[in-house]
Amino acid sequence: MNVFVFKSELWTAQYTGIKVNTLAAFTRVLKEIDDDTIYYHLYRNLFEYHFLPTDYGNSFAYWMAENGFPVLAEKFSAIDLIECVCISDLREAMLNILHSGIDGFERICKPFYFIRAVRKVVDTGVRAKDIEEFKEGLNKVGVHSLFHHLVTSRLVHGEPTNDFSRWLRSIGEEEKADRIEKIDLMAYSLYEVRDRILRILES
Amino acid sequence: MFEEYAKYIDVGTLNELSKLAEELKGVRVLHVNSTKMGGGVAEILHRMVPLMNELGIETRWEVIKGDIEFFKVTKKIHNLLHMPGRESLSHQDIITYMRHTYENVAAIDTDYYDVIFIHDPQPLGLIVKKREGQKWIWRCHIDVSTPDEETWKFLEMFVNGYDGGIFHIPEFVREGVRIPAFIIPPSIDPLHDKNIPLEEGFIRETLERFGIDPERPIVLQVSRFDRLKDPFGVIEAYRIVKRRYDCQLVLAGSFADDDPEGAQVYREVLEAKGGDEDIFVLNLPPDSHREINALQRSATVVVQKSIREGFGLVVSEAMWKGKPVVGSNIGGIRRQIINGVTGYLVSSIEGTAYRVKQLLANDKSREEMGRNAHLRVKHSFLITRHLKDYLLVIHRLLKNP
């Protein structure tokens, strides 16, 4: 029997000791910095602020907007985090935007502090053997469990699907798996995502 | 006690905390600071220590001892780290600090523990007692980014002996800190008298006791009487607002008997108030938690117009009560307020007045921002998040060094 194990992830933050105050320095650091730092800055909004109507999608974009680069901020904000399945693709996407002819590369800005995500995955102890138990499980776990299975899992497996859909397919629920895969995680809060998944499972 | 938090955060999140703590069973933790009573550090430890024990992590709390001379020196160190330039650390100060440090080294048993949290600079020197296998963490609650150089040089040798440091925001980390620097903001406790729900009757009674009209809008700033909190700027902003809007201004805070500067600022604030009967300058006893709670709950708009701030948790306290906050765009305040979503960030007296007017004029946006503000605190500034961060740091240092 294929049992679904609900996991979740917890984050704290560690300062890398690197701060920059020009776009040029930012670009140089972005080329080299570790994946956990990019992960922190790009996904933190989705992880922490998903329930609030914030202006920009990630902290890179916020810094750019605050320092007079609104177009860059918009472009960085529009990076679809769910389409990418590895950090190196995201890094490349960001560098491409930065290399697309921006003025003011050397202008002094407010500092940007690079922070690394310190993450820990925990087993929540919640299990599901069938759809009914899966629905119960979804209601028992915190929203960071959804983040783990819908967002992080794509990066972990390097596949354009998520743990929920993968499991549903394994028990023959192809259509439900497809519909969950199509939910736009960038457009809804994780609480709304949970409601949508529950509706799909009940349909 | 742990279950009581289920009223405020979802059960799934509490469960995750328990699971994380299970992995740390058997770990023994010690917190050391300089006082059991008063101040934000002691307040958090009073709750944090029992919570960690309840989660199965044996945790104790010790307080260093010292005479008045020692605490004069540590106060001086605090000032020199926070606001350099006014004074300097003498050789005699260093001797006093070291003598008391060694007395505390002898008095406090740290050998029994696996992880030792040292809070702030006062007990920093205890690191000389570190034994192999232990993890020592310096929990720094102040801004040490631009310290007095000589003072920092003296402390740096202790700081870099730690296995990790914890700072409120990255801006507070001094360049030259070579240990892993974790960024963990402070938190508020929803079960503390300052933050618990209050009955309407008590709120009304509190306002009436101070002569404040519960039926008219209230603009509130809660802070000690200190120039860095800019009470004069708040009065000026209020006067701009008052030209168009009927409102009352409440400046609530306290100053200790041994704080001559606080008494002076209080007198000057009273002078600035002049004959305006809609300005209330309240010097409250330090344990007036429920009164402050009542004032925050009755406020229409809360202001925090500090010039410099450690973190400014009073912002989160107001946000927790569903109030939009107009706060200075500095340090910890800008970490709490999301501009235009949970309140407004401002950089001038005029800007403060402009945003206060906007909020007074618009019930709907006030309510919406207040709701967002509550959610923001619920997810990011409650003690349960703080606890989770501490457990993650312990886990990282012990299990993935």
Side-chain angles (χ1 to χ4, degrees):
Chain A
M1 191 177 296
N2 200 347
V3 176
F4 189 85
V5 178
F6 282 93
K7 294 182 179 173
S8 189
E9 62 182 86
L10 304 162
W11 287 22
T12 193
Q14 185 181 343
Y15 178 37
T16 58
I18 300 170
K19 69 173 173 181
V20 295
N21 62 358
T22 64
L23 215 43
F26 176 85
T27 308
R28 280 195 297 276
V29 173
L30 196 61
K31 281 181 193 159
E32 306 284 330
I33 199 84
D34 61 276
D35 286 0
D36 280 346
T37 301
I38 291 182
Y39 183 76
Y40 179 83
H41 289 293
L42 287 183
Y43 287 88
R44 188 171 166 228
N45 259 50
L46 209 54
F47 190 72
E48 271 186 27
Y49 302 101
H50 44 78
F51 51 91
L52 293 174
T54 50
D55 284 345
Y56 295 101
N58 57 68
S59 42
F60 294 146
Y62 265 99
W63 177 69
M64 288 161 183
E66 206 183 1
N67 287 287
F69 299 102
V71 178
L72 267 186
E74 204 174 286
K75 287 185 177 178
F76 263 64
S77 234
I79 295 171
D80 191 333
L81 302 175
I82 309 305
E83 263 182 20
C84 287
V85 294
C86 69
I87 295 287
S88 57
D89 287 352
L90 289 167
R91 191 193 304 263
E92 205 179 310
M94 289 188 287
L95 289 170
N96 284 339
I97 295 171
L98 286 164
H99 289 141
S100 61
I102 308 293
D103 289 332
F105 252 56
E106 298 292 346
R107 180 158 55 77
I108 301 295
C109 304
K110 289 179 184 166
F112 183 84
Y113 298 82
F114 283 91
I115 310 284
R116 180 181 299 129
V118 174
R119 294 158 54 219
K120 172 86 182 85
V121 176
V122 290
D123 182 340
T124 64
V126 179
R127 305 278 187 275
K129 294 190 294 294
D130 54 38
I131 297 249
E132 275 314 305
E133 287 184 7
F134 191 79
K135 282 192 287 186
E136 279 171 34
L138 270 180
N139 279 315
K140 277 186 199 161
V141 296
V143 287
H144 291 149
S145 174
L146 273 76
F147 181 89
H148 178 76
H149 290 298
L150 296 173
V151 181
T152 309
S153 70
R154 302 168 69 91
L155 298 168
V156 170
H157 297 288
E159 289 173 12
T161 185
N162 61 74
D163 288 344
F164 292 166
S165 296
R166 196 178 290 114
W167 179 75
L168 285 165
R169 285 195 182 100
S170 78
I171 60 164
E173 295 284 357
E174 197 69 36
E175 192 230 331
K176 288 183 170 60
D178 288 347
R179 287 174 65 194
I180 288 174
E181 225 164 57
K182 284 189 181 127
I183 296 174
D184 185 355
L185 301 176
M186 304 281 284
Y188 302 108
S189 80
L190 290 172
Y191 294 98
E192 290 164 333
V193 168
R194 171 155 47 196
D195 289 344
R196 282 177 175 268
I197 293 175
L198 285 169
R199 280 206 297 276
I200 290 169
L201 294 174
E202 273 157 17
S203 64
Chain B
M1 184 201 292
F2 191 61
E3 271 71 37
E4 284 184 58
Y5 288 96
K7 278 187 265 178
Y8 303 105
I9 65 168
D10 67 90
V11 177
T13 305
L14 282 182
N15 180 41
E16 288 164 12
L17 258 177
S18 302
K19 295 290 176 188
L20 177 60
E22 270 173 28
E23 296 194 27
L24 296 171
K25 282 251 163 72
V27 173
R28 293 173 293 204
V29 176
L30 175 67
H31 288 272
V32 184
N33 81 324
S34 63
T35 176
K36 276 269 183 203
M37 299 299 291
V41 179
E43 214 171 83
I44 286 291
L45 288 176
H46 271 296
R47 193 70 75 170
M48 184 70 80
V49 172
L51 275 175
M52 289 177 81
N53 279 303
E54 213 174 305
L55 285 172
I57 300 166
E58 187 183 338
T59 308
R60 296 281 175 275
W61 174 13
E62 295 276 0
V63 173
I64 54 163
K65 292 189 174 59
D67 58 17
I68 190 152
E69 286 309 309
F70 174 67
F71 287 113
K72 268 188 193 166
V73 172
T74 57
K75 175 76 182 168
K76 195 193 254 189
I77 290 174
H78 176 95
N79 291 340
L80 284 163
L81 289 174
H82 215 279
M83 292 174 290
R86 288 188 185 176
E87 47 197 346
S88 65
L89 206 59
S90 69
H91 289 297
Q92 185 53 48
D93 291 337
I94 290 172
I95 290 166
T96 305
Y97 182 86
M98 291 310 296
R99 181 165 57 78
H100 283 86
T101 293
Y102 277 97
E103 283 171 15
N104 281 302
V105 161
I108 296 176
D109 172 21
T110 55
D111 285 346
Y112 177 73
Y113 301 93
D114 304 296
V115 178
I116 293 102
F117 283 85
I118 298 292
H119 295 264
D120 279 335
Q122 298 94 331
L124 189 64
L126 291 184
I127 185 70
V128 297
K129 209 181 175 185
K130 181 182 169 185
R131 67 164 170 77
E132 215 184 320
Q134 286 182 321
K135 298 296 175 190
W136 284 60
I137 300 159
W138 184 41
R139 194 351 164 184
C140 177
H141 296 266
I142 58 174
D143 178 356
V144 293
S145 58
T146 50
D148 171 73
E149 284 301 326
E150 288 302 310
T151 309
W152 178 253
K153 262 187 212 162
F154 169 59
L155 296 179
E156 194 179 20
M157 61 177 175
F158 296 126
V159 171
N160 285 325
Y162 281 75
D163 297 286
I166 299 178
F167 301 84
H168 288 341
I169 55 177
E171 288 90 329
F172 285 4
V173 184
R174 167 76 179 154
E175 279 182 36
V177 169
R178 295 196 299 273
I179 54 176
F182 298 94
I183 305 303
I184 300 179
S187 59
I188 64 164
D189 181 2
L191 303 181
H192 191 281
D193 273 354
K194 272 185 194 175
N195 301 312
I196 51 168
L198 293 174
E199 282 179 17
E200 262 320 300
F202 178 80
I203 297 173
R204 209 177 169 87
E205 193 184 292
T206 305
L207 294 181
E208 283 166 358
R209 185 152 35 108
F210 296 121
I212 302 163
D213 183 352
E215 305 302 331
R216 292 168 57 215
I218 297 168
V219 178
L220 169 74
Q221 174 160 302
V222 175
S223 63
R224 64 176 188 271
F225 292 98
D226 184 329
R227 286 180 213 288
L228 293 176
K229 309 294 177 191
D230 199 16
F232 309 104
V234 178
I235 291 176
E236 274 190 63
Y238 152 82
R239 289 201 164 120
I240 298 172
V241 173
K242 188 79 173 175
R243 287 184 213 147
R244 293 248 174 100
Y245 291 84
D246 174 42
C247 63
Q248 307 164 88
L249 172 66
V250 180
L251 295 169
S254 62
F255 61 87
D257 293 341
D258 61 351
D259 177 9
E261 202 176 318
Q264 176 62 24
V265 173
Y266 176 68
R267 278 193 298 275
E268 287 176 30
V269 172
L270 284 176
E271 266 172 45
K273 157 188 154 69
D276 191 333
E277 291 187 351
D278 280 338
I279 300 180
F280 300 85
V281 184
L282 309 179
N283 177 31
L284 303 173
D287 59 351
S288 310
H289 304 312
R290 281 177 179 250
E291 285 75 11
I292 294 288
N293 186 344
L295 290 170
Q296 287 168 326
R297 286 183 190 280
S298 62
T300 318
V301 179
V302 173
V303 172
Q304 192 61 37
K305 212 204 146 303
S306 308
I307 293 163
R308 194 159 176 169
E309 208 35 277
F311 191 79
L313 264 185
V314 71
V315 169
S316 277
E317 286 171 16
M319 287 167 65
W320 176 243
K321 287 147 196 145
K323 303 297 170 182
V325 179
V326 178
S328 298
N329 191 10
I330 55 162
I333 295 178
R334 56 181 297 186
R335 298 289 156 149
Q336 296 170 79
I337 297 172
I338 302 176
N339 193 36
V341 177
T342 68
Y344 290 110
L345 290 168
V346 292
S347 307
S348 65
I349 289 167
E350 294 80 358
T352 306
Y354 173 64
R355 293 306 191 183
V356 170
K357 283 195 280 188
Q358 273 190 325
L359 287 169
L360 287 176
N362 194 334
D363 295 359
K364 214 172 152 197
S365 78
R366 209 168 58 227
E367 276 163 26
E368 193 183 333
M369 282 192 181
R371 261 197 310 277
N372 289 339
H374 176 77
L375 279 174
R376 169 94 176 109
V377 175
K378 178 177 165 169
H379 283 82
S380 300
F381 295 107
L382 292 187
I383 191 169
T384 39
R385 186 239 73 221
H386 204 163
L387 175 61
K388 178 260 306 176
D389 284 323
Y390 278 3
L391 297 186
L392 282 172
V393 170
I394 294 172
H395 192 279
R396 169 54 60 114
L397 291 177
L398 282 178
K399 317 269 178 181
N400 306 291

